[in-house]
Amino acid sequence: MSVPSVRTSAESAVLPPRRRWLTLAVLGVSLLVVGLDTTVLNVALPLLVSELGATTGQLQWIVDIYALLAGALMLFCGGLADRLGRKGVFLTGLVLFTGASVAAAYAGSVTQLIVARGVMGIGEALIMPATLAIIGTVFTDPAERIKAIGVWSAAIGAGTVIGPMLGGWLLDHFWWGSVFLVNLPIGAAGLVAAALLVPAVPAIRGRRLDPLGAALSIAGPALLLWALIQGPSDGWTDPLVLGAFAAAAVLITTFIGWEHRAPNPLLPLGILRHRGLAVGAVLILLCAFAMIGTLFLLVQHLQFNLGYTAAQTGWRLGPMALALLVAGPVAGVLAQRLGVRYVAAAGLALVATALTVFATTSPGDGYGRVLVVVVLLGSGAGFVITATSDSIVGSLPERDLGVGSATNSTAIQFGAALGVAVTGSLLAGRYRGEIGQSALEPVQKAAARDSLGAALTAAEQLPDRAGAAVARIARDAFTAGLGPAMFTGAAIAVIGVVIALALAPRRTNSDDSGVPS
């Protein structure tokens, strides 16, 4: 039995201002941990090659399993938050996320680390939609709400970019697992504060859960990511790779068909009639594709090509955090004056420019080019995240906030997973091709073929002159691979600019008719 599409929580609507902003502060601290964990591991990826013997494909899975499970279960957990209560689901997710972080810190193999990362992704799936839905309920005034969402997006974005800085410092002083233990004190403090300060909004019990839809939402994207990651090493025409692509297409199509006829769909397709939600989800997915895919390669470029330590790499990504922190609130103000359409388009244009600059990197370029990339990327992401998030939340009635917020978070995670898989595979394919055509000896080619990290490790075992030659050729091959990977990301961002200008609403809370306003 459905409930009316009105705001039902009178308690949250009359919360005093101080309590509303305290609630936001608590949610922001928790989201900082989630955002931080999205990228804190990136600076440790080169170390995992030597410590755990991780291959390039395994590195991609360590990053992608988190995004896959977080994204695939986000809609299910959004419905769970609506049905069981948003505060309870949020607290459960925070406990699961923090506990899995400890397990990841002490993982003794790549497999154990991948499993722990997957559980952390489930924790995020419980946290993210609940937080944005709580904000949408507590901040009922549109002007206040967009400021709150600006803080929400800034907390996630700041955590995303602070992650490499903090991770680099930890790696310079402790072992690789320490990058996960930082979640323990913050998560515990957030748990206590949330239990005391976050209001318990009444559950909306009209929507049943959809376990079959949840299973299909995991299986299809998982096979797609597997095929994208395995393609460069096994060959794009390998029967298993082609079979995985075909099976992924069947499962994703089956998911859409099931959601169309399911009595209690995971994703009620009718919700996509809200133009702010439908277009906003597409734009945030494209932005996440470009941003997280770029970060995956950018960290390796700074450490392997430019020779920075983990700590030095983290600090050199710092300007991205500053740019995002400034851009988020500015985007909130501009969205009220200019509209979502132009703010989102401007953000994606900045992202496309950043990726184009990175794509044209040459072997002799230093940190100056990277600085331009990170400032443009952080500014663009801040614009897109804030504008699209408010467009999504502002277009929905109370009863759909959980699923709508989950759709926003799902788009971010799937965009991130696809970004790492596609850009990583494009670079890996070009890298292997360049190594194969190089003048290296067959034994050296075999040692260098898997990744730049493996090549540099092998080069250290060779005499000085031979080792230097292997390292130079491998670095040049990696730099050559940045072109196809980053130009593809830039093209994706440009498509986003066109979609924003053509379809995004000009104003927050525009009509939902589907006709541009």
Side-chain angles (χ1 to χ4, degrees):
M1 183 176 179
S2 62
V3 296
S5 298
V6 296
R7 298 195 177 272
T8 59
S9 178
E11 173 196 356
S12 63
V14 297
L15 283 177
R18 183 172 179 272
R19 178 71 183 278
R20 290 199 297 270
W21 293 104
L22 277 175
T23 296
L24 179 63
V26 172
L27 297 178
V29 170
S30 303
L31 289 166
L32 183 69
V33 176
V34 171
L36 187 150
D37 198 76
T38 303
T39 57
V40 69
L41 184 62
N42 279 352
V43 292
L45 291 177
L47 193 60
L48 296 179
V49 175
S50 58
E51 294 291 329
L52 298 181
T55 65
T56 297
Q58 288 174 325
L59 292 181
Q60 287 174 282
W61 272 117
I62 289 169
V63 175
D64 269 359
I65 191 65
Y66 177 93
L68 170 66
L69 290 179
L73 292 175
M74 202 76 72
L75 286 164
F76 183 80
C77 293
L80 198 67
D82 283 344
R83 187 169 176 79
L84 302 181
R86 291 157 187 169
K87 179 177 179 178
V89 169
F90 166 66
L91 293 175
T92 301
L94 201 54
V95 169
L96 192 62
F97 185 90
T98 305
S101 297
V102 177
Y106 293 101
S109 68
V110 173
T111 300
Q112 292 175 13
L113 180 56
I114 289 174
V115 170
R117 289 277 293 170
V119 176
M120 292 172 70
I122 297 172
E124 177 173 342
L126 292 166
I127 292 170
M128 289 287 283
T131 56
L132 193 53
I134 289 170
I135 288 173
T137 302
V138 170
F139 292 91
T140 55
D141 177 71
E144 270 199 342
R145 189 184 65 242
I146 195 167
K147 292 178 183 177
I149 290 177
V151 175
W152 178 88
S153 62
I156 299 172
T160 299
V161 188
I162 289 172
M165 292 188 290
L166 181 59
W169 182 87
L170 289 169
L171 290 173
D172 265 15
H173 294 81
F174 307 101
W175 92 111
W176 67 264
S178 63
V179 299
F180 294 110
L181 285 185
V182 70
N183 295 340
L184 182 58
I186 304 176
L191 188 65
V192 173
L196 296 174
L197 296 174
V198 173
V201 179
I204 301 171
R205 301 185 182 274
R207 181 180 292 118
R208 294 184 180 274
L209 302 179
D210 179 18
L212 177 58
L216 289 171
S217 72
I218 294 173
L223 282 172
L224 176 60
L225 292 176
W226 184 88
L228 288 169
I229 291 171
Q230 290 299 120
S233 58
D234 295 354
W236 296 107
T237 58
D238 180 86
L240 284 178
V241 173
L242 292 177
F245 274 124
V250 170
L251 287 170
I252 292 171
T253 302
T254 302
F255 169 75
I256 295 172
W258 169 251
E259 295 305 291
H260 182 70
R261 66 178 185 275
N264 301 288
L266 179 71
L267 174 62
L269 298 182
I271 202 173
L272 298 178
R273 288 196 296 266
H274 296 283
R275 188 156 53 90
L277 168 65
V279 178
V282 171
L283 296 180
I284 199 70
L285 184 149
L286 299 181
C287 179
F289 179 105
M291 180 180 181
I292 304 303
T294 301
L295 276 175
F296 181 72
L297 302 184
L298 190 59
V299 169
Q300 297 180 62
H301 173 67
L302 285 166
Q303 292 192 45
F304 289 144
N305 268 353
L306 300 186
Y308 293 118
T309 66
Q312 291 170 337
T313 294
W315 283 110
R316 279 161 178 78
L317 292 174
M320 185 184 297
L322 294 176
L324 203 151
L325 283 171
V326 172
V330 170
V333 175
L334 292 178
Q336 284 288 306
R337 296 180 179 179
L338 303 178
V340 172
R341 174 177 300 181
Y342 300 112
V343 174
L348 284 160
L350 289 172
V351 170
T353 304
L355 271 63
T356 301
V357 172
F358 194 27
T360 54
T361 298
S362 62
D365 289 330
Y367 175 68
R369 180 173 289 264
V370 172
L371 179 61
V372 173
V373 172
V374 298
V375 170
L376 290 173
L377 193 60
S379 301
F383 272 47
V384 177
I385 292 170
T386 301
T388 56
S389 296
D390 185 67
S391 175
I392 289 170
V393 175
S395 68
L396 299 175
E398 164 73 14
R399 71 180 301 270
D400 290 327
L401 279 175
V403 172
S405 303
T407 302
N408 176 61
S409 301
T410 296
I412 293 174
Q413 294 297 345
F414 277 152
L418 285 172
V420 170
V422 172
T423 58
S425 294
L426 287 171
L427 184 139
R430 178 65 178 272
Y431 172 85
R432 289 188 173 103
E434 293 286 326
I435 292 295
Q437 297 173 12
S438 70
L440 295 176
E441 297 293 329
V443 175
Q444 296 172 341
K445 286 183 180 180
R449 182 177 181 274
D450 184 61
S451 68
L452 176 55
L456 296 179
T457 299
E460 292 176 354
Q461 312 302 319
L462 297 172
D464 290 346
R465 191 168 181 178
V470 171
R472 177 181 55 78
I473 290 172
R475 288 190 174 104
D476 288 349
F478 182 92
T479 302
L482 291 176
M486 292 295 96
F487 277 130
T488 299
I492 293 293
V494 169
I495 291 172
V497 173
V498 175
I499 292 173
L501 291 176
L503 300 176
R506 289 193 180 94
R507 302 178 305 277
T508 302
N509 297 325
S510 68
D511 67 89
D512 295 319
S513 64
V515 179
S517 59

